[in-house]
Amino acid sequence: MEISHRNLTQQLTHELGKAILQGKYNEFKKLPSEADISTEYDVSRTATREAIKMLTAKGLISSRPRQGIKLKDIKNWNLFDTDVLRWILLGKPDLYMLKHFLEVRLAIEPAAAALAAKFASDDELMRIEHTLSKMKFEQSGYDDTHQADIDFHKSILLASNNPFFIQLQTFIETALKVNLHFTNRADAVSEKEYQQHVDIFTFIKAGEEQKAFDAAATTTKSTIRLVEEKITELKLLNLQE
Amino acid sequence: MEISHRNLTQQLTHELGKAILQGKYNEFKKLPSEADISTEYDVSRTATREAIKMLTAKGLISSRPRQGIKLKDIKNWNLFDTDVLRWILLGKPDLYMLKHFLEVRLAIEPAAAALAAKFASDDELMRIEHTLSKMKFEQSGYDDTHQADIDFHKSILLASNNPFFIQLQTFIETALKVNLHFTNRADAVSEKEYQQHVDIFTFIKAGEEQKAFDAAATTTKSTIRLVEEKITELKLLNLQE
DNA sequence: AGGTCAATTTTGTATTATAAATACTATTGT
DNA sequence: ACAATAGTATTTATAATACAAAATTGACCT
């Protein structure tokens, strides 16, 4: 693997993290030794060790003398870490992963909308509204597709005034991207979807906690149902073979 | 700071992380240089750098040549990281933090209960039930106080069959500990609380998604109200001074 | 005053050496 | 033959040193 000549530690961390999330080391539960990684990527042991430490900090691996570097069970992984999420996205997530993302979205986003209805400042409301107007552009095909959609969801988290929800911005962004990856639509956001977003914003602005909550929950729920149907379809297909 | 002679990197990471979460470096937004940290804690630059890398991986700091090591804004912190949560707990969280924890619990736990009602296996149901019986012991004053309570909440997350919810076990555990820290009760779980837990379990076992959701939501909601009242009380007191 | 460039400081990377942990092997004694 | 024990080898952990690269600072020049 070719690694260029700046930020070796960061790059190597990225390469190894990506490889792990792509399941390249899953079979043996064991990674190459420090020495082997160093020679394979042609970096010093120092850089290798620092990359290993970063992955250790994210819960992906652990290392002990004479035992080498071993993969940790997924329950130890920091699945809410920005980098880990990026690697998940690069690892071609399957339908099950999409379902898991949606289940968390269903937990987080309605709650965030309710908090936003309760606590959002004028600035924060304006920011949400701004993403809506950008979405209208996207409907006509302008601008970066679906980015305004993503920003809408993120701006609600921001308006929750809760650092934990705010930290989940990357998570929701990744979840939406995984979703897009499956629905696979290069086309713009539909009129119906746009209207649902407007509704959520209206309730938030009006301070209607419960209604904002419900509005945010409805869409996600129906998406989950769709995915669940698709999964059972696939299961049936596999049984037929 | 005295650091003993094993796992230097880990220990130093812990010390620095704790210090950061206690706000010791918040004023200047800048940490000592690698060299200074090395001499202060009497470890080599290698160990120091590896600790720095681990904290970087958790989003707490960043470092650049000639600029030194700087604190990152809280929105970059991995607030769902196990270590970060431990350091938050050690940093004497305030009422606002407790409120933020409760808001996330209100989002996560009812959703997890609903998922558990939908997907929990027999094993997972048994595990939940087991924690309930341990809670009954605790009522009588036996065993590690409130640990069974914590385990109850964790076992529901485990039964959600969703890796993201499962990963939130440490988060919920920390949230509960912060709560305990404020209610400050060494005494056992009350009969009323126990009954609420039993209800949640019953609905989960019966596969009643919505009821499990509601049952899990009710308690947390009333706790949030209590905390919010306490906060407004304190605000009024501060205004009088 | 303003811009260019060199000096300085701090992190980034490489290299080498040694210590510590632990799995594996061989030996020894019964 | 077997078990306990001591020795060996492997791999990470830590240290120390040297140099490279980035970025700020400041001096110098025009």
Side-chain angles (χ1 to χ4, degrees):
Chain A
M1 185 58 60
E2 356 59 56
I3 278 188
S4 60
H5 37 281
R6 239 170 56 195
N7 270 332
L8 294 190
T9 300
Q10 303 279 336
Q11 278 181 261
L12 183 53
T13 306
H14 181 67
E15 292 301 327
L16 292 174
K18 210 168 53 176
I20 289 172
L21 267 288
Q22 282 170 350
K24 292 197 176 163
Y25 298 115
N26 240 321
E27 308 163 46
F28 305 100
K29 292 269 176 194
K30 209 182 161 197
L31 275 74
S33 70
E34 283 181 7
D36 289 346
I37 294 175
S38 301
T39 55
E40 184 183 348
Y41 290 89
D42 195 34
V43 296
S44 73
R45 217 190 126 199
T46 308
T48 302
R49 278 188 60 78
E50 289 178 0
I52 295 299
K53 285 299 168 195
M54 295 196 77
L55 295 174
T56 304
K58 293 175 191 299
L60 299 184
I61 57 178
S62 68
S63 66
R64 289 171 63 193
R66 180 70 220 227
Q67 301 223 138
I69 302 157
K70 290 196 295 190
L71 231 72
K72 298 227 73 172
D73 190 271
I74 188 171
K75 75 165 194 269
N76 294 296
W77 297 6
N78 281 324
L79 297 177
F80 297 94
D81 178 278
T82 305
D83 293 318
V84 174
L85 286 167
R86 186 162 82 249
W87 299 329
I88 287 176
L89 198 56
L90 291 172
K92 299 184 187 294
D94 57 15
L95 266 177
Y96 292 96
M97 185 64 90
L98 171 59
K99 177 171 163 261
H100 293 146
F101 269 115
L102 282 166
E103 286 167 352
V104 180
R105 280 188 55 203
L106 180 59
I108 296 298
E109 298 200 287
L115 288 173
K118 219 169 161 185
F119 300 120
S121 70
D122 290 343
D123 268 7
E124 288 155 356
L125 287 174
M126 272 177 54
R127 171 168 295 205
I128 302 176
E129 199 164 19
H130 180 64
T131 64
L132 277 177
S133 66
K134 280 213 301 181
M135 270 179 80
K136 245 200 143 30
F137 271 118
E138 289 194 4
Q139 279 192 30
S140 339
Y142 296 121
D143 233 314
D144 192 4
T145 319
H146 295 288
Q147 186 57 50
D149 186 4
I150 291 172
D151 289 339
F152 174 82
H153 291 263
K154 288 169 78 174
S155 64
I156 290 177
L157 291 172
L158 212 55
S160 72
N161 282 279
N162 179 314
F164 297 115
F165 281 94
I166 291 173
Q167 231 259 306
L168 288 170
Q169 280 180 103
T170 314
F171 180 89
I172 298 297
E173 175 156 19
T174 308
L176 290 166
K177 282 180 179 170
V178 170
N179 211 344
L180 272 169
H181 193 264
F182 275 95
T183 50
N184 199 26
R185 301 170 326 176
D187 57 327
V189 181
S190 76
E191 176 63 34
K192 186 186 165 196
E193 284 171 317
Y194 174 72
Q195 194 53 50
Q196 287 176 324
H197 286 70
V198 171
D199 287 347
I200 296 172
F201 171 67
T202 309
F203 290 133
I204 289 175
K205 192 170 185 182
E208 305 244 37
E209 282 183 60
Q210 189 60 47
K211 285 184 181 171
F213 184 99
D214 293 336
T218 311
T219 326
T220 311
K221 267 187 186 163
S222 64
T223 314
I224 291 182
R225 261 193 294 278
L226 277 176
V227 173
E228 282 179 338
E229 281 168 26
K230 214 164 204 169
I231 286 177
T232 47
E233 266 177 45
L234 286 177
K235 272 186 184 161
L236 288 175
L237 272 174
N238 281 339
L239 283 178
Q240 285 178 351
E241 277 166 19
Chain B
M1 185 57 60
E2 357 59 56
I3 279 190
S4 60
H5 37 281
R6 239 171 56 194
N7 270 334
L8 294 191
T9 300
Q10 303 279 335
Q11 278 181 259
L12 183 54
T13 306
H14 181 68
E15 292 300 328
L16 292 174
K18 211 169 53 178
I20 289 172
L21 266 289
Q22 283 170 351
K24 293 198 177 161
Y25 299 113
N26 240 321
E27 308 164 46
F28 304 101
K29 292 271 176 193
K30 208 181 163 195
L31 277 72
S33 69
E34 283 180 4
D36 290 346
I37 295 175
S38 301
T39 54
E40 184 182 348
Y41 290 89
D42 194 34
V43 296
S44 73
R45 210 187 133 202
T46 308
T48 303
R49 278 188 60 78
E50 289 178 2
I52 295 299
K53 286 298 168 194
M54 296 196 77
L55 295 174
T56 304
K58 293 176 190 299
L60 299 185
I61 57 178
S62 68
S63 64
R64 289 170 64 193
R66 179 70 221 227
Q67 304 231 130
I69 302 158
K70 291 195 295 192
L71 231 72
K72 299 227 71 173
D73 188 272
I74 187 172
K75 74 164 195 270
N76 295 295
W77 296 6
N78 280 325
L79 298 177
F80 297 93
D81 178 278
T82 305
D83 292 319
V84 174
L85 287 167
R86 186 161 83 249
W87 299 328
I88 287 176
L89 198 56
L90 291 172
K92 299 185 187 296
D94 56 15
L95 266 177
Y96 292 96
M97 185 65 90
L98 172 58
K99 176 168 164 262
H100 294 147
F101 269 115
L102 283 166
E103 286 167 352
V104 180
R105 279 187 56 202
L106 180 59
I108 296 299
E109 297 200 289
L115 288 173
K118 220 169 161 186
F119 300 119
S121 70
D122 290 344
D123 268 9
E124 288 154 358
L125 287 174
M126 271 177 54
R127 170 168 296 204
I128 302 174
E129 200 164 19
H130 180 63
T131 64
L132 276 177
S133 66
K134 279 215 302 183
M135 271 179 78
K136 246 203 142 24
F137 271 117
E138 288 194 4
Q139 280 194 29
S140 338
Y142 296 119
D143 231 312
D144 191 4
T145 318
H146 296 286
Q147 186 57 49
D149 186 5
I150 291 173
D151 289 341
F152 173 81
H153 292 263
K154 287 168 79 173
S155 64
I156 290 178
L157 291 172
L158 211 56
S160 71
N161 282 279
N162 179 315
F164 297 115
F165 282 93
I166 292 173
Q167 232 259 304
L168 287 170
Q169 280 178 103
T170 315
F171 179 90
I172 298 297
E173 175 157 18
T174 308
L176 290 166
K177 282 180 179 168
V178 170
N179 211 343
L180 273 169
H181 192 264
F182 275 94
T183 49
N184 200 25
R185 301 171 325 178
D187 57 329
V189 182
S190 76
E191 175 64 33
K192 184 187 166 196
E193 285 172 317
Y194 174 72
Q195 194 52 50
Q196 287 176 324
H197 286 71
V198 170
D199 288 346
I200 295 172
F201 171 67
T202 310
F203 289 134
I204 289 175
K205 192 170 185 181
E208 306 243 39
E209 282 181 62
Q210 188 59 49
K211 285 184 182 172
F213 184 99
D214 292 336
T218 310
T219 325
T220 311
K221 267 186 187 163
S222 64
T223 314
I224 291 182
R225 260 193 296 277
L226 278 176
V227 173
E228 281 179 338
E229 280 167 26
K230 214 164 205 168
I231 286 176
T232 47
E233 265 178 46
L234 285 177
K235 273 186 184 160
L236 288 175
L237 271 175
N238 281 338
L239 284 177
Q240 285 177 350
E241 278 169 18

